[in-house]
């Protein structure tokens, strides 16, 4: 049984249980990553098969989401029958705690709605439903005051029933807004008929009246204007201070979540001029800046802009492509006039720059102009060695994890992200070492191989046609495996290292990919034999 002080998979030390156990949500733990200097992380422990199956079905998709107000989802592993999910820790104060310290005004709730709706739009656009939108899961981050939407443990795919439809999240958001307003219509809101009508529609369950998409709510809120309200000084107490430190008992602060849809394209237009590339030559991408209203930047924003300029020039990165990259990761095209929203875009731009800095100097200036021809030679070399093209693409995806959010499995990402995918192909495929094994009947063939941190190994296993193959791989819990047949079809889905039996096949070789998601190199053992 897990408890405080337990170290899981030689990496994560449990510090405190924040909630649970619960049959649907499991238990939420505050933990530290001992391999990353005791970096705080949040870990969800799921023990019931239904909960494990539900979150396993959506977690790989969540790993690909990149948004400043949505904690990044990391690895998952199974241990002693329990499923563990790891994500970023967010230090802040939940809306329900803030509500006990002070009252929320109508203007503040209006801003909160405008900020959280784009984040829900991103989730719904991925075919997902949050399932638990309420003040406990909206957290105001201490570092920048922006709100973060936390996973409440009920994430699931959208379905045909009322319980797993996207409109339920919007209904719960209306309930959250009403709760923050004190549970009823506050004095003065009677005169704001437009705002009240939006709230009433959010709370409605009638199909002909309710909102079905977050974009509909945002459109309805465009014409609503409320006067700014002075901030209210919060009460402080030791009890509240303890509550503020417990992320698991707090719910993601809705206030900044909407920044996703409001931040993207337009913020980049204000922070970084798009008229030229770092070397001063004209840009080849359209210039939208002239279409946007002028925004006065604060002094600190000007400093951040100059720092971004300097780094872009030093890296020799095409400015037009880079701005498209940041904009595309925000899923937005709205104009931004509020300083917090522009700050979110800047944070995301800095995050992308940190990834790009890891590329060799010879590749960086070519970002924005890379194509399939740039990685054709190593691709053809691997195909001549018997590696199927789909397997080559999976090799690239595995090698691009440092550059791109998530694993981007089963497909090449769309532009502008594909530029980084191709850059990863150019950088990683030349270093691929192919190991060949031949499976024999009765006596297993064994091999131990080292895999670098964040790396991938490819093993080709030959076996007689029509005979089954018994395959066993073991290593560290931070390693994952995937097996393809000779035609590039997946015969063993990506998952933890394991023992399996592959039924009769049309031909060989079987192509086995093993990845290491740890921060240090490790050894895995592979055993194979023909199984009649």
């Amino acid at each position: 049984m897990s408890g405080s002080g337990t170290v899981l998979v030689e990496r994560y030390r449990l510090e405190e249980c924040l909630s649970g156990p619960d049959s649907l949500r499991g238990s939420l733990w505050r933990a530290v990553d001992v391999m990353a200097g005791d970096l705080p992380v949040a870990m969800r422990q799921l023990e019931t098969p239904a909960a494990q199956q539900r979150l396993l079905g959506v977690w790989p998709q969540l790993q690909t989401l990149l948004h400043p107000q949505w904690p990044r989802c990391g690895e998952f592993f199974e241990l002693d029958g329990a499923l563990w999910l790891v994500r970023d820790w967010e230090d802040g104060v939940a809306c329900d705690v803030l509500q006990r310290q002070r009252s929320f005004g109508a203007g503040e709730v209006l801003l909160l709605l405008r900020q959280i709706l784009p984040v829900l739009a991103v989730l719904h656009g991925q075919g997902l439903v949050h399932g638990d939108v309420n003040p406990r899961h909206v957290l105001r981050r201490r570092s920048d005051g922006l709100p973060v939407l936390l996973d409440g443990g009920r994430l699931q795919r959208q379905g045909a029933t009322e319980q797993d439809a996207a409109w339920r999240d919007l209904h719960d958001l209306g309930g959250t807004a009403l709760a923050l307003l004190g549970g009823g219509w506050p004095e003065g809101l009677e005169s704001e008929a437009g705002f009240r009508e939006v709230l009433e529609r959010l709370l409605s369950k009638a199909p002909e009246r309710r909102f079905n998409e977050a974009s509909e709510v945002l459109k309805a809120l465009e014409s609503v204007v409320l006067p700014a309200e002075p901030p209210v000084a919060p009460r402080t107490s030791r009890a509240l201070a303890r509550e503020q430190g417990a992320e698991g008992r707090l719910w993601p602060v809705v206030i900044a979540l909407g920044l996703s849809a409001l931040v993207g394209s337009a913020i980049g237009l204000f922070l970084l001029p798009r008229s030229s590339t770092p070397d001063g030559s004209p840009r080849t991408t359209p210039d939208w800046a002239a279409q946007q209203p002028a925004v006065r930047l604060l002094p600190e924003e000007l400093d951040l802009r100059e720092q971004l300029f300097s780094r872009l020039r030093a890296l020799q990165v095409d400015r037009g492509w880079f701005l498209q990259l940041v904009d595309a990761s925000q899923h937005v095209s709205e104009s931004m006039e509020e300083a917090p929203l522009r700050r979110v875009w800047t944070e995301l731009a800095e995050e992308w720059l940190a990834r790009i800095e890891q590329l060799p100097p010879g590749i960086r200036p070519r970002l924005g102009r890379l194509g399939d021809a740039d990685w054709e030679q190593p691709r053809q070399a691997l195909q001549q060695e018997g590696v199927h093209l789909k397997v080559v693409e999976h090799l690239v995806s595995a090698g691009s994890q440092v550059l791109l959010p998530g694993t981007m499995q089963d497909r090449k990402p769309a532009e502008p992200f594909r530029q980084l995918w191709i850059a990863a192909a150019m950088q990683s495929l030349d270093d691929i070492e192919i190991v060949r094994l031949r499976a024999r009947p009765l006596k297993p063939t064994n091999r131990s191989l080292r895999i670098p941190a964040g790396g991938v190994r490819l093993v080709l296993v030959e076996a007689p046609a029509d005979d089954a193959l018994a395959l066993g791989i073991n290593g560290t819990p931070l390693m994952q495996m995937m097996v393809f047949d000779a035609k590039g079809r997946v015969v063993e889905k990506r998952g933890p290292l394991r023992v399996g039996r592959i039924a009769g096949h049309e031909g060989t070789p079987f192509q086995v990919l093993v990845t290491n998601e740890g921060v240090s190199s490790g050894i895995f053992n592979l055993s194979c034999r023909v199984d009649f």
Side-chain angles (χ1 to χ4, degrees), residues 285-318:
T285 49
D287 190 349
W288 300 284
Q291 305 174 18
Q292 301 294 333
V295 174
R296 177 172 297 179
L297 300 180
L298 300 174
E300 57 269 25
E301 291 178 310
L302 290 171
D303 290 341
L304 289 173
R305 180 178 64 176
E306 290 305 317
Q307 291 174 22
L308 286 172
F309 274 143
S310 298
R311 292 175 67 186
L312 278 172
R313 284 193 295 268
L315 296 174
Q316 296 182 302
V317 175
D318 179 86

Side-chain angles (χ1 to χ4, degrees), residues 105-400:
E108 189 174 4
V109 173
L110 173 62
L111 176 61
L112 180 146
L113 289 175
R114 285 173 169 163
Q115 292 175 331
I116 193 175
L117 283 164
V119 179
L120 287 176
V122 171
L123 280 175
H124 295 165
Q126 296 288 328
L128 302 175
V129 175
H130 185 278
D132 203 10
V133 178
N134 66 61
R136 297 190 311 276
H137 297 145
V138 179
L139 181 108
R140 178 165 303 179
R141 193 159 52 200
R142 294 182 191 277
S143 61
D144 54 16
L146 295 175
V148 179
L149 180 62
L150 301 179
D151 160 34
R154 291 192 174 184
L155 274 160
Q156 58 188 346
R157 296 197 182 280
Q158 293 182 26
T161 68
E162 293 290 279
Q163 283 300 115
D164 52 8
W167 75 266
R168 293 289 307 188
D169 282 346
L170 301 176
H171 178 270
D172 292 345
L173 179 59
T176 297
L178 193 61
L180 295 177
L181 289 170
W185 306 113
E187 183 179 354
L189 194 59
E190 298 292 342
S191 62
E192 302 296 339
F195 189 21
R196 176 162 182 161
E197 181 181 0
V198 172
L199 289 181
E200 287 178 341
R201 288 189 62 190
L202 281 171
L203 293 168
S204 175
K205 295 183 179 180
E208 68 278 5
R209 180 164 172 74
R210 71 194 185 201
F211 291 107
N212 292 308
E213 295 183 5
S215 59
E216 296 176 359
V217 192
L218 282 169
K219 183 69 175 177
L221 289 174
E222 283 182 359
S223 60
V224 177
V225 178
L226 292 178
E229 298 154 333
V232 180
R235 303 191 310 269
T236 58
S237 69
R238 293 183 180 179
L240 285 175
R242 285 194 298 270
E243 287 181 295
Q244 293 171 2
E247 185 218 46
R249 292 185 281 270
L250 315 177
W251 197 77
V253 169
V254 178
I255 300 174
L257 299 178
L259 302 180
S260 154
L262 299 175
V263 179
S265 301
I267 295 182
L269 300 172
F270 302 137
L271 289 179
L272 296 174
R274 303 173 180 236
S275 58
S276 64
T277 55
D279 60 3
S281 59
R283 284 197 322 105
T284 57
T285 49
D287 190 349
W288 300 284
Q291 305 174 18
Q292 301 294 333
V295 174
R296 177 172 297 179
L297 300 180
L298 300 174
E300 57 269 25
E301 291 178 310
L302 290 171
D303 290 341
L304 289 173
R305 180 178 64 176
E306 290 305 317
Q307 291 174 22
L308 286 172
F309 274 143
S310 298
R311 292 175 67 186
L312 278 172
R313 284 193 295 268
L315 296 174
Q316 296 182 302
V317 175
D318 179 86
R319 185 183 302 164
W321 168 80
F322 178 76
L323 293 174
Q324 291 179 19
L325 176 73
V326 182
D327 294 349
S329 66
Q330 288 286 354
H331 307 278
V332 276
S333 58
E334 297 282 343
S335 174
M336 264 302 115
E337 298 183 5
E338 298 180 25
L341 304 180
R342 298 193 298 272
R343 185 164 61 246
V344 170
W345 190 95
T346 305
E347 291 174 355
L348 192 56
E350 291 175 343
E351 200 170 309
W352 280 114
L353 277 176
R355 295 173 185 265
I356 293 171
E357 283 174 335
Q358 301 180 59
L359 284 171
I363 295 180
R364 297 173 197 155
R366 300 170 62 185
L367 291 171
R369 303 190 304 274
L370 295 175
D372 286 341
D374 291 292
W375 67 293
E376 182 176 4
Q377 184 175 350
R379 179 179 71 236
Q380 289 182 346
L382 286 172
Q383 288 182 262
Q384 291 173 1
E385 292 286 336
V387 182
H388 194 275
L389 176 59
K390 291 183 179 179
V391 180
V392 176
E393 292 181 351
H394 275 275
L395 276 169
V396 177
S397 294
S400 66

